[in-house]
Amino acid sequence: MKIQTITWHRGKIRIVDQTRLPARFCYIYLEDIVQVFRAIRTMQVRGAPALAAAAALGVVLSARKRRTKNIEALKSQIDKDIQYLAKARPTAINLFWGLERMRRVIDSDIYQTKEGLNNALLKEALNIIEEDKRVCRKIGREGARLVRNGDKILTICNAGLLATIDYGTALGVLYRAKKEGKDFVVFACETRPLLQGARLSCWELQRAGLDVTLICDSMAATLMQKRGINKIFVGADRIARNGDVANKIGTYNLAVLAKYHKIPFYVVAPLSSFDKNIKRGKDIPIEERPSFEITNLFFKKPITPKGIKVFNPAFDITPHNLITAIITEKGILQKTEKRGQSKFRKFDF
Amino acid sequence: MKIQTITWHRGKIRIVDQTRLPARFCYIYLEDIVQVFRAIRTMQVRGAPALAAAAALGVVLSARKRRTKNIEALKSQIDKDIQYLAKARPTAINLFWGLERMRRVIDSDIYQTKEGLNNALLKEALNIIEEDKRVCRKIGREGARLVRNGDKILTICNAGLLATIDYGTALGVLYRAKKEGKDFVVFACETRPLLQGARLSCWELQRAGLDVTLICDSMAATLMQKRGINKIFVGADRIARNGDVANKIGTYNLAVLAKYHKIPFYVVAPLSSFDKNIKRGKDIPIEERPSFEITNLFFKKPITPKGIKVFNPAFDITPHNLITAIITEKGILQKTEKRGQSKFRKFDF
């Protein structure tokens, strides 16, 4: 069965409900932007590139639900909905990038009828989806060049088909390498608190026939020390101009471990994850999520004493000096050292 | 309420069932060595110093249950039970250290009656318990000298009263520092897979009135980067002659992060955790535990796809070069560098 994480289906958005995996694979249908907002906030749909598509289709729903026939009033209402959707989650730039592309459509003077605008919005959202499919495959080809027979590869969270439309970024590299006949094994960090590694990456890697072994996040260091991990591939939620990377909490941990164990550390992301307006990683807003994600397993049974304080950042910042290269659809950005300063080169971003 | 983790109570061993905390605090009673073995294996009682006491009292039960009146036959049967108990868990040296002390009693020629032997065994086991109480308090005094007002301290797993008889090693240092009026905050790693940090350390630190905040293990790096952690205290399950330390999985991870962030990394353990027969950490046997500890939350709901491979080492090895000092009841072992080689000094072990 070929899976597409997000699809436009008869006037609704069909998504894979990622909170139910791996126990149950099921689609849910989003019919208005409040449902889209909730699906993003509760992580029924997650992963930076997938958020761009979900938000873009959310704007399509917004335009269709509005009753006004005055085109300027309609555009102003859609603009408000875009602002609303932008508040769903703060860290992944792709959410804003997807919304920005939709805003450019409503800002254009070309569309002067409701129908024309609706069609243009749908076309743009479907473009975002089709582009993601192509971009992920290009990224996969670029990254697969780095994979060798016998590699022992570590990854965290889920940067796979579930985080994109149907292929993945970091996991896309592995799918491509496998397709090229390369022989390697993968270790997946479970990725507390919401276990995207254990639940989602294990599910899709196993499904694709890759050799995958699950570890707890705290086992990464001993895995590197004892099992000879020789490459790390991770996704990205936002990349600053200097190459600092915001990604799922635990990524920075792995990068520090990689440096100590002299293991190449690769970030895999489309260009839409780069934020030209952010100079350094520490300027990227980091979402802090509710404490019950940590204190109550799957929001049910509490595992901690009552009233315990919790620190629950959903992302961390990996400084560029810990990153070996960034793999994009336009090629691999290698780090170059110049007068003690490291920079990513190949083209400007 | 004053808690004692392990008590000899009317011919039975009374232990706090640590698998039920923090939802429920309850004692259970162990009446024979099979129950003792199971309680250790399933971690109803855990923590290196506590295992010494539990195993020693297990030998007392062994001697009492045997029917033979022939003293040599009795000793031989007890010896077999000691070998059995030694198989409960492989890494913490204190288990073997406790059993060894009991074996010395049965090896002695002094006790030639069953009653005499029984009394001597009980006395030795109770000595181990009383010594642990004194030793932990001495360790606490030594370690508390390192704690300053305003400190932000990180710990992992549970090296507290629940891991000892009634005070703790790493957490004993914090209890003592608090008693001395020092003002500091504590962060506890949840410690996957069995969550001893979230369940046990948070419970006992909160109970003792300390300021404790829970994090997932993968958040330690970002915590160091953003919140200014300035000291790390951890326990130990076994310490090799060169100062390499086996402790709960995740400890080595923290030690690497501590080096990168230039944070002092302290191991806190009684001398009974040192293994004179082991030269280097890599010679310490590391227990691998069943995969369901990771794949099924609390042995119930599966969180991973069926048939997923798992790597589940219960401990890791922190090399001595990442350890700032080892705090024992006889003082603090500081690392000294000599001809590029680091060694722990103060006295020989």
Side-chain angles (χ1 to χ4, degrees):
Chain A
M1 181 185 61
K2 179 116 185 70
I3 291 168
Q4 183 160 326
T5 308
I6 302 165
T7 317
W8 181 251
H9 188 83
R10 297 180 187 177
K12 296 173 188 170
I13 308 173
R14 190 187 74 180
I15 64 168
V16 176
D17 182 352
Q18 305 197 23
T19 59
R20 305 291 293 273
L21 283 169
R24 226 183 127 198
F25 178 88
C26 62
Y27 291 111
I28 54 172
Y29 295 83
L30 310 176
E31 303 185 28
D32 59 44
I33 61 160
V34 174
Q35 290 182 358
V36 175
F37 183 95
R38 280 199 201 133
I40 292 173
R41 174 70 61 96
T42 62
M43 296 169 74
Q44 290 178 306
V45 59
R46 31 65 55 199
L51 292 184
L57 285 175
V59 177
V60 175
L61 285 181
S62 155
R64 295 191 164 211
K65 295 278 165 177
R66 294 297 182 174
R67 295 290 173 94
T68 179
K69 289 193 176 163
N70 177 311
I71 194 78
E72 289 312 315
L74 176 66
K75 285 182 175 184
S76 150
Q77 286 169 350
I78 299 173
D79 188 70
K80 274 193 192 129
D81 287 346
I82 288 176
Q83 290 174 39
Y84 167 71
L85 285 171
K87 286 183 187 135
R89 296 190 71 195
T91 303
I93 183 73
N94 310 63
L95 175 68
F96 312 114
W97 173 86
L99 291 172
E100 199 47 48
R101 282 187 55 165
M102 301 305 279
R103 190 195 300 274
R104 259 179 257 147
V105 175
I106 63 165
D107 283 353
S108 157
D109 289 336
I110 303 172
Y111 312 108
Q112 290 300 337
T113 65
K114 189 171 173 179
E115 205 192 337
L117 185 63
N118 278 353
N119 289 341
L121 286 171
L122 180 58
K123 196 178 158 205
E124 183 67 356
L126 296 178
N127 279 346
I128 288 173
I129 287 178
E130 291 309 310
E131 281 170 34
D132 182 81
K133 293 181 182 180
R134 284 198 302 275
V135 160
C136 283
R137 281 162 181 82
K138 278 188 195 167
I139 290 172
R141 274 198 298 277
E142 292 289 341
R145 294 194 279 140
L146 298 167
V147 179
R148 303 264 176 280
N149 281 328
D151 272 356
K152 293 179 178 176
I153 293 167
L154 180 63
T155 188
I156 186 169
C157 195
N158 173 267
L161 73 91
L162 293 166
T164 59
I165 297 302
D166 69 346
Y167 199 70
T169 53
L171 299 193
V173 167
L174 307 185
Y175 293 143
R176 173 71 195 198
K178 161 104 177 156
K179 196 179 163 194
E180 291 174 3
K182 287 172 181 170
D183 187 30
F184 56 93
V185 297
V186 186
F187 290 85
C189 290
E190 65 174 3
T191 319
R192 281 282 288 156
L194 296 182
L195 300 164
Q196 292 93 335
R199 297 191 301 109
L200 308 179
S201 289
C202 283
W203 180 78
E204 60 167 276
L205 288 167
Q206 191 188 52
R207 200 173 160 275
L210 275 83
D211 182 327
V212 56
T213 300
L214 174 66
I215 61 165
C216 294
D217 305 319
S218 60
M219 294 166 187
T222 204
L223 190 76
M224 295 177 191
Q225 185 193 50
K226 290 174 76 170
R227 295 279 183 108
I229 293 295
N230 68 334
K231 261 156 217 162
I232 300 171
F233 290 96
V234 303
D237 285 88
R238 194 187 301 212
I239 304 176
R241 279 216 305 280
N242 70 344
D244 291 353
V245 168
N247 191 45
K248 178 52 58 194
I249 187 73
T251 303
Y252 171 52
N253 189 351
L254 289 188
V256 172
L257 296 177
K259 185 183 172 72
Y260 182 78
H261 293 92
K262 300 190 175 63
I263 300 167
F265 186 87
Y266 299 110
V267 171
V268 190
L271 292 175
S272 54
S273 295
F274 289 78
D275 187 346
K276 274 184 264 180
N277 299 315
I278 293 267
K279 198 173 165 193
R280 286 166 310 212
K282 68 176 178 178
D283 300 327
I284 298 174
I286 297 295
E287 177 182 12
E288 287 203 29
R289 291 185 59 90
S291 59
F292 63 73
E293 288 184 350
I294 297 180
T295 57
N296 294 46
L297 292 177
F298 287 106
F299 320 132
K300 285 175 190 156
K301 185 176 169 166
I303 54 169
T304 54
K306 273 183 199 158
I308 201 79
K309 281 195 287 185
V310 168
F311 174 52
N312 184 19
F315 304 92
D316 59 23
I317 303 292
T318 301
H320 61 90
N321 63 306
L322 295 179
I323 298 167
T324 310
I326 303 178
I327 299 159
T328 75
E329 67 269 34
K330 292 274 170 93
I332 298 172
L333 307 181
Q334 296 276 3
K335 210 166 49 184
T336 56
E337 296 275 345
K338 205 174 178 181
R339 293 186 219 107
Q341 296 236 314
S342 61
K343 262 196 168 174
F344 285 97
R345 286 288 157 91
K346 163 133 185 168
F347 55 85
D348 288 334
F349 46 84
Chain B
M1 180 184 64
K2 179 118 185 71
I3 291 168
Q4 182 159 328
T5 308
I6 302 165
T7 318
W8 180 251
H9 187 85
R10 298 181 187 177
K12 297 173 188 171
I13 308 173
R14 191 187 74 178
I15 64 168
V16 176
D17 181 353
Q18 305 198 23
T19 60
R20 305 293 291 275
L21 281 170
R24 227 183 126 200
F25 178 88
C26 62
Y27 291 111
I28 54 172
Y29 294 83
L30 310 176
E31 302 185 28
D32 58 45
I33 60 160
V34 173
Q35 291 182 356
V36 175
F37 183 94
R38 280 199 201 132
I40 292 173
R41 174 69 62 97
T42 62
M43 298 170 72
Q44 291 177 304
V45 59
R46 30 67 52 202
L51 291 183
L57 285 175
V59 176
V60 174
L61 284 181
S62 155
R64 295 191 163 209
K65 295 278 165 176
R66 295 295 182 175
R67 296 290 174 94
T68 181
K69 290 195 175 158
N70 176 311
I71 193 76
E72 289 312 314
L74 177 64
K75 285 182 175 183
S76 149
Q77 287 169 347
I78 299 173
D79 188 70
K80 274 193 192 129
D81 287 345
I82 288 176
Q83 289 173 40
Y84 167 72
L85 286 172
K87 286 183 186 133
R89 296 190 70 194
T91 303
I93 183 72
N94 310 62
L95 176 69
F96 313 114
W97 172 86
L99 291 172
E100 199 47 49
R101 282 188 52 166
M102 301 305 279
R103 190 193 301 275
R104 259 178 258 147
V105 175
I106 64 165
D107 283 353
S108 156
D109 289 336
I110 303 173
Y111 313 107
Q112 290 301 337
T113 67
K114 188 170 174 179
E115 205 193 338
L117 185 63
N118 278 353
N119 289 340
L121 286 171
L122 181 57
K123 195 178 159 206
E124 184 66 355
L126 296 178
N127 279 345
I128 288 174
I129 287 177
E130 291 307 312
E131 281 169 35
D132 182 81
K133 293 180 182 181
R134 284 197 301 273
V135 160
C136 283
R137 281 163 179 82
K138 279 188 195 167
I139 291 173
R141 274 197 297 276
E142 292 288 343
R145 294 193 279 140
L146 298 167
V147 179
R148 303 265 177 280
N149 281 329
D151 272 356
K152 292 179 180 178
I153 293 168
L154 181 63
T155 187
I156 187 170
C157 196
N158 174 266
L161 75 90
L162 293 166
T164 59
I165 297 303
D166 69 347
Y167 199 71
T169 52
L171 299 193
V173 167
L174 306 185
Y175 294 143
R176 173 70 196 197
K178 161 106 177 155
K179 196 178 162 195
E180 292 175 4
K182 289 174 182 169
D183 186 31
F184 55 93
V185 298
V186 186
F187 290 85
C189 290
E190 64 173 3
T191 319
R192 281 282 287 155
L194 296 181
L195 299 164
Q196 293 92 335
R199 297 191 300 108
L200 309 179
S201 288
C202 283
W203 180 79
E204 60 167 278
L205 287 168
Q206 191 188 52
R207 200 174 161 275
L210 276 84
D211 183 327
V212 56
T213 301
L214 174 67
I215 61 165
C216 294
D217 304 320
S218 60
M219 295 167 187
T222 205
L223 190 76
M224 293 177 191
Q225 185 193 51
K226 289 173 79 172
R227 296 278 183 108
I229 292 296
N230 68 334
K231 260 155 217 163
I232 299 171
F233 290 97
V234 303
D237 285 87
R238 194 187 298 212
I239 304 176
R241 279 216 305 280
N242 71 344
D244 292 352
V245 168
N247 191 45
K248 178 52 59 194
I249 188 72
T251 303
Y252 171 52
N253 190 351
L254 289 187
V256 172
L257 297 178
K259 185 184 171 71
Y260 182 77
H261 294 92
K262 300 190 174 63
I263 301 167
F265 187 87
Y266 299 110
V267 171
V268 190
L271 292 175
S272 54
S273 295
F274 288 78
D275 186 347
K276 275 184 261 179
N277 299 315
I278 294 265
K279 197 174 163 192
R280 286 167 310 213
K282 68 176 179 178
D283 300 327
I284 298 175
I286 297 295
E287 177 182 13
E288 287 204 29
R289 292 187 58 91
S291 60
F292 63 72
E293 287 185 351
I294 296 180
T295 57
N296 295 45
L297 293 177
F298 287 106
F299 320 133
K300 285 176 190 159
K301 185 177 171 167
I303 54 168
T304 55
K306 272 184 201 156
I308 200 79
K309 281 195 287 185
V310 168
F311 175 52
N312 184 17
F315 303 93
D316 59 23
I317 302 292
T318 301
H320 60 90
N321 63 305
L322 295 180
I323 298 167
T324 310
I326 303 177
I327 299 159
T328 75
E329 68 270 32
K330 291 275 170 95
I332 298 172
L333 307 181
Q334 296 275 5
K335 209 166 50 183
T336 56
E337 296 275 346
K338 205 174 177 181
R339 295 187 217 103
Q341 296 236 314
S342 60
K343 262 197 169 173
F344 286 96
R345 287 287 158 88
K346 163 134 185 164
F347 55 84
D348 288 335
F349 46 82

